[in-house]
Amino acid sequence: MNLSIKQLRAFLALSDHDSFTQAAKRFNLSQPAFSTLIASLEDEIGYRLFDRDTRKVELNANGIHFIEIARRLILDYDEAINEIEARASGKNGTLTLSVLPSLAVEWLPEILAQYSAMHPQTQIKLNDTQWNQCLKSIVNSQADLALTASQPATNIFDSHYLFSDKFYLLCHVNHPLAQNKKVKLSDLYKYPFIGFSQRTSIRQYTDKLFESQGKQIKYSLEVQQLTTMMGLISANYGIGITSGLTLFQFKHQNIAIVPFEDVDLERDIYLVSLKNRAQPSHVKLFSDFIMNEANKFNSKIKTIQE
């Protein structure tokens, strides 16, 4: 059996109007052509659907039974076409994004909310993980895109610069350094220093900060979570360094946030994908959205860091 959607739509049009003339007009066909379409449907299924006389056309028992079948077939067809068109336009599909935890907690949720409102058919899976795992997930095809710090050195990746993230000193409000409008890196050496673990991108950069001064800091304690750092700083256990995107986590009555006077190193954030891997349209659409919004990201980050 070879039924066409055009035949089914013609059948529903005729069942609604009970008139070949009106139904043909709605269908933008001549009456003879429309009648031929209905006749071909009846020939295909093997029984008549309408009782006809010189004055009117009415559904018979077979037609009443068939009408629900026709509606179901058309509904399934329309839903399938909509799904195909949505995927082709980049509005449908699943993408996995690997991202640094320090990025995932501040501005990214707002970006995802905006994008989901615009493209509700796209399902985004979030993998918040350490910087080295972000790149591994791309190579292993566990993620489509990654938001990570620093540009990958290897040429197997495509990377697009998004923005830069400054660094700040964290200390207790009663700490001697809390009274300064700005601090120098050399001011930190004599105080107990809390660092993030070596697996974090922030730690990679704090190590570079000290190395740039010819110093190697001795960490009194190492932590992995922002909340742990916040608790220790607020208890005056020691001082620490964090990036501007994480400052919201340290808005605490016992914590002072102090900018640096002599530190110009910034953490560059990149959108990364695997080179020469064809991106599905919905992944490309999301990637373009992130890059097109980069200027807005920069403006927001500046506001956060001021």
Side-chain angles (χ1 to χ4, degrees), residues 86-302:
R87 187 174 183 86
S89 65
K91 297 178 180 179
N92 196 8
T94 300
L95 70 88
T96 302
L97 176 66
S98 287
V99 59
L100 297 175
S102 57
L103 301 178
V105 294
E106 172 52 24
W107 61 272
L108 184 61
E110 181 178 338
I111 298 303
L112 294 181
Q114 293 177 13
Y115 192 82
S116 295
M118 296 167 56
H119 306 290
Q121 302 95 332
T122 300
Q123 180 184 1
I124 300 177
K125 295 182 178 179
L126 197 63
N127 177 31
D128 54 332
T129 187
Q130 307 302 334
W131 66 279
N132 58 330
Q133 295 300 321
C134 284
L135 297 182
K136 285 183 179 180
S137 68
I138 296 290
V139 175
N140 297 335
S141 298
Q142 296 172 335
D144 301 290
L145 301 166
L147 285 170
T148 188
S150 75
Q151 187 173 22
T154 175
N155 61 4
I156 66 171
F157 297 105
D158 279 328
S159 55
H160 301 273
Y161 170 80
L162 295 180
F163 53 81
S164 295
D165 194 16
K166 293 183 178 181
F167 290 90
Y168 293 81
L169 170 70
L170 302 171
C171 61
H172 193 274
V173 291
N174 294 330
H175 193 278
L177 295 178
Q179 310 309 315
N180 298 353
K181 290 185 178 180
K182 291 186 176 181
V183 294
K184 295 181 179 180
L185 200 61
S186 58
D187 296 333
L188 279 53
Y189 298 136
K190 59 183 177 181
Y191 299 108
F193 197 90
I194 307 168
F196 289 101
S197 71
Q198 292 184 347
R199 292 183 296 174
T200 64
S201 67
I202 294 178
R203 171 62 179 274
Q204 302 296 316
Y205 278 85
T206 55
D207 284 349
K208 288 181 181 178
L209 284 174
F210 293 113
E211 289 171 4
S212 69
Q213 301 287 323
K215 298 286 186 177
Q216 187 173 4
I217 193 73
K218 183 177 181 181
Y219 296 96
S220 61
L221 193 64
E222 297 183 12
V223 301
Q224 295 191 49
Q225 304 299 327
L226 295 170
T227 50
T228 307
M229 176 74 79
M230 184 272 292
L232 292 168
I233 299 292
S234 65
N236 205 8
Y237 187 90
I239 63 174
I241 292 178
T242 195
S243 69
L245 278 176
T246 68
L247 289 181
F248 79 100
Q249 186 72 63
F250 299 95
K251 300 293 185 180
H252 189 282
Q253 60 183 0
N254 291 337
I255 296 179
I257 300 170
V258 188
F260 283 99
E261 179 180 331
D262 60 342
V263 172
D264 58 2
L265 182 64
E266 298 181 346
R267 185 175 67 151
D268 293 336
I269 304 302
Y270 288 85
L271 177 66
V272 180
S273 60
L274 195 64
K275 187 177 290 186
N276 299 326
R277 177 190 289 172
Q279 290 185 343
S281 54
H282 65 284
V283 175
K284 180 67 165 56
L285 189 67
F286 179 79
S287 178
D288 290 344
F289 177 80
I290 290 287
M291 289 186 286
N292 289 337
E293 292 293 308
N295 289 334
K296 294 180 181 179
F297 299 164
N298 276 309
S299 298
K300 182 175 181 180
I301 291 165
K302 289 177 181 178

Side-chain angles (χ1 to χ4, degrees), residues 63-78:
I64 293 173
H65 175 264
F66 186 74
I67 195 168
E68 293 303 321
I69 297 175
R71 286 171 177 166
R72 186 168 66 249
L73 290 172
I74 290 175
L75 179 62
D76 290 344
Y77 174 84
D78 289 343

